[in-house]
């Protein structure tokens, strides 16, 4: 299959590209290596994708998806069968600090991708990243795709919700097949430095107290990146999908934050100090994915527990982050 991946140098994009190359797919990656976090890490991931590719199986353009003309010519020349749109400004907590960056990258960028896809002679299937954050303060657990998502609590969540709505318009107006994936707290090697496990590991190593919000009463459906990539891949090739689909991709086991921290501290061989803080604005107390819909449609079945996944993150962190 010919697959175009936006955000290919990102955390999830990198793992997806390597997995698709190992299946023998032809890839076209797009990323602008922005400075939301260390661009050196993105370049390093990108080098690894190149190293994993057979001659001619990985093409790449450094471009901003908001540059519709440049994106259009990349899509025109490659003629993908599937587009996976992962490029976005991630992170709910940061979105209040840089609202215009989120609107531009997540909303204008998404519209640009939709427009370029719909203009193709053979319109590709579009699989795009949404987020568990769209569930906002929903307290009915586990979150299932039929729950109302009209009350997001961060700007980031609002951009992802709007992506889902706009994708619905394009699938309805133009017959585009659009598949939105609500990822739940993804973690693993080559992780983002702005995310919780990285921040905890950095603080543990530096001997700083860990900032624990909501006094530690937080639960997350931590999902190992290989499981997420398996879920995405199933959605790329599954023949059993409707024209417009929304799926949760999680592990379906909410874990106490303090349990994850215990495993990580054990792996790093430290006894952390804690600074307990109130709930942060724009945050959710618990996330928990109901995955029965994607399991039914695609056979998705996550297999990595936190007792296996956190040590795999920690091994990478020790090798890559501590040796810098
Ligand atoms: N990691 C998670 O836990 C998680 C959870 C829910 C949703 N998501 C979503 O999944 C997607 C991938 O997340 P990630 O964790 O890999 O993030 P990431 O930041 O590591 O990857 C995103 C990549 O997109 C690129 N990018 C951003 N804006 C761009 C633009 N305008 N043009 C071209 N490239 C651009 C960035 O340089 C980066 O390499 C994002 O859409 C994110 O919102 C992630």
């Amino acid at each position: 299959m010919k697959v175009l991946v936006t955000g290919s140098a990102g955390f999830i994009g990198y793992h997806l590209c390597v997995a698709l190359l190992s299946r023998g797919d032809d890839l076209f990656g797009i990323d602008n290596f922005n400075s939301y976090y260390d661009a050196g890490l993105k370049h390093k991931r990108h080098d690894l994708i190149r190293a994993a590719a057979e001659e001619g199986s990985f093409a790449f353009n450094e471009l901003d998806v908001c540059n519709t003309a440049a994106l259009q010519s990349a899509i025109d020349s490659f003629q993908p069968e599937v587009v996976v749109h992962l490029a976005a400004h991630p992170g709910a907590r940061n979105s209040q600090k840089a609202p215009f960056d989120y609107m531009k990258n997540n909303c204008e960028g998404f519209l640009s991708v939709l427009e370029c896809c719909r203009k193709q002679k053979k319109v590709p299937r579009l699989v795009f990243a949404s987020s568990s954050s769209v569930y906002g303060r929903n307290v009915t657990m586990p979150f299932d795709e039929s729950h109302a998502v009209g009350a997001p609590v961060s700007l980031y969540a609002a951009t992802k919700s709007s992506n889902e709505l706009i994708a619905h318009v394009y699938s309805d107006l133009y017959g585009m097949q659009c598949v939105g994936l609500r990822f739940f707290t993804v973690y693993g090697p080559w992780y983002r430095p702005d995310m919780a496990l990285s921040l905890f590991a950095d603080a543990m190593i530096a001997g700083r107290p860990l900032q624990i919000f909501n006094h530690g009463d937080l639960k997350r459906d931590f999902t190992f990146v290989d499981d997420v990539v398996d879920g995405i891949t199933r959605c790329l090739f599954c023949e059993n999908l409707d024209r417009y689909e929304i799926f949760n991709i999680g592990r379906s086991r909410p874990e106490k934050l303090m349990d994850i921290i215990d495993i990580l501290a054990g792996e790093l061989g430290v006894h952390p100090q804690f600074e307990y803080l109130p709930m942060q604005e724009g945050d959710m107390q618990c996330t928990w994915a109901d995955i029965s819909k994607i399991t039914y449609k695609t056979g998705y079945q996550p297999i990595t527990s936190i007792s296996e996944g956190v040590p795999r993150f920690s091994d990478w962190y020790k090798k890559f982050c501590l040796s810098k």
Side-chain angles (χ1 to χ4, degrees):
M1 292 283 272
K2 293 177 80 173
V3 185
L4 184 139
V5 180
T6 74
S8 55
F11 165 49
I12 299 173
Y14 153 71
H15 285 280
L16 177 68
C17 287
V18 170
L20 293 177
L21 287 170
S22 77
R23 281 174 30 100
D25 296 311
D26 270 351
L27 289 197
F28 194 115
I30 285 176
D31 206 293
N32 66 354
F33 297 108
N34 69 32
S35 57
Y36 173 75
Y37 62 80
D38 176 22
L41 174 58
K42 298 179 183 183
H43 282 287
K44 184 78 198 152
R45 295 187 190 120
H46 190 244
D47 291 345
L48 292 173
I49 301 173
R50 280 201 189 287
E54 302 274 331
E55 183 71 31
S57 63
F58 180 65
F60 177 78
N61 264 9
E62 180 173 344
L63 65 83
D64 190 319
V65 293
C66 297
N67 181 346
T68 310
L71 181 64
Q72 186 79 65
S73 83
I75 294 183
D76 286 353
S77 70
F78 184 61
Q79 294 285 314
E81 290 154 273
V82 186
V83 170
V84 189
H85 178 51
L86 300 173
H89 240 48
R93 284 178 185 168
N94 283 327
S95 59
Q96 285 85 311
K97 294 181 197 150
F100 289 98
D101 287 350
Y102 281 80
M103 288 303 286
K104 182 156 184 66
N105 287 288
N106 298 10
C107 294
E108 188 183 325
F110 186 64
L111 188 63
S112 179
V113 170
L114 284 164
E115 275 293 297
C116 293
C117 288
R118 85 163 172 92
K119 288 181 181 154
Q120 295 307 296
K121 202 184 284 169
K122 184 160 185 332
V123 180
R125 174 181 293 186
L126 176 67
V127 176
F128 64 95
S130 182
S131 162
S132 59
S133 63
V134 300
Y135 289 105
R137 292 215 181 88
N138 184 358
V139 287
T140 312
M141 297 281 168
F143 297 155
D144 96 40
E145 295 87 343
S146 67
H147 290 167
V149 293
V153 293
S154 68
L155 184 67
Y156 168 74
T159 66
K160 292 294 183 182
S161 251
S162 86
N163 286 177
E164 294 183 359
L165 290 171
I166 295 168
H168 187 272
V169 175
Y170 273 67
S171 78
D172 203 58
L173 280 183
Y174 305 115
M176 269 182 72
Q177 190 172 37
C178 295
V179 183
L181 304 178
R182 294 176 180 166
F183 300 141
F184 282 67
T185 319
V186 190
Y187 74 102
W190 300 99
Y191 191 57
R192 280 184 8 223
D194 62 311
M195 291 188 80
L197 285 193
S198 289
L199 299 175
F200 291 147
D202 291 348
M204 285 181 198
I205 295 300
R208 279 186 274 111
L210 277 56
Q211 292 198 316
I212 306 292
F213 293 101
N214 206 30
H215 307 281
D217 182 20
L218 291 175
K219 283 181 175 178
R220 287 288 177 273
D221 196 345
F222 278 93
T223 311
F224 194 67
V225 67
D226 290 358
D227 289 327
V228 171
V229 164
D230 174 60
I232 301 172
T233 308
R234 287 171 186 274
C235 291
L236 303 188
F237 307 115
C238 181
E239 288 173 5
N240 185 25
L241 300 185
D242 292 337
R243 199 167 62 186
Y244 177 76
E245 297 271 20
I246 296 292
F247 292 123
N248 290 336
I249 296 195
R251 161 94 172 127
S252 200
R253 294 200 187 178
E255 307 282 358
K256 287 185 190 151
L257 194 66
M258 300 313 279
D259 290 346
I260 291 267
I261 290 173
D262 269 358
I263 301 175
L264 183 59
E267 290 298 313
L268 294 175
V270 294
H271 295 284
Q273 306 294 309
F274 300 107
E275 180 188 358
Y276 291 101
L277 297 165
M279 186 76 165
Q280 274 202 318
E281 272 182 26
D283 218 349
M284 295 154 84
Q285 193 272 329
C286 177
T287 64
W288 179 3
D290 181 325
I291 54 171
S292 48
K293 185 176 174 212
I294 188 169
T295 299
Y296 173 73
K297 286 245 172 158
T298 73
Y300 166 73
Q301 201 58 262
I303 53 172
T304 315
S305 64
I306 54 166
S307 55
E308 192 191 332
V310 175
R312 283 169 69 185
F313 159 74
S314 164
D315 287 349
W316 167 78
Y317 180 87
K318 284 189 257 188
K319 270 193 215 123
F320 184 79
C321 302
L322 295 187
S323 64
K324 274 206 288 190

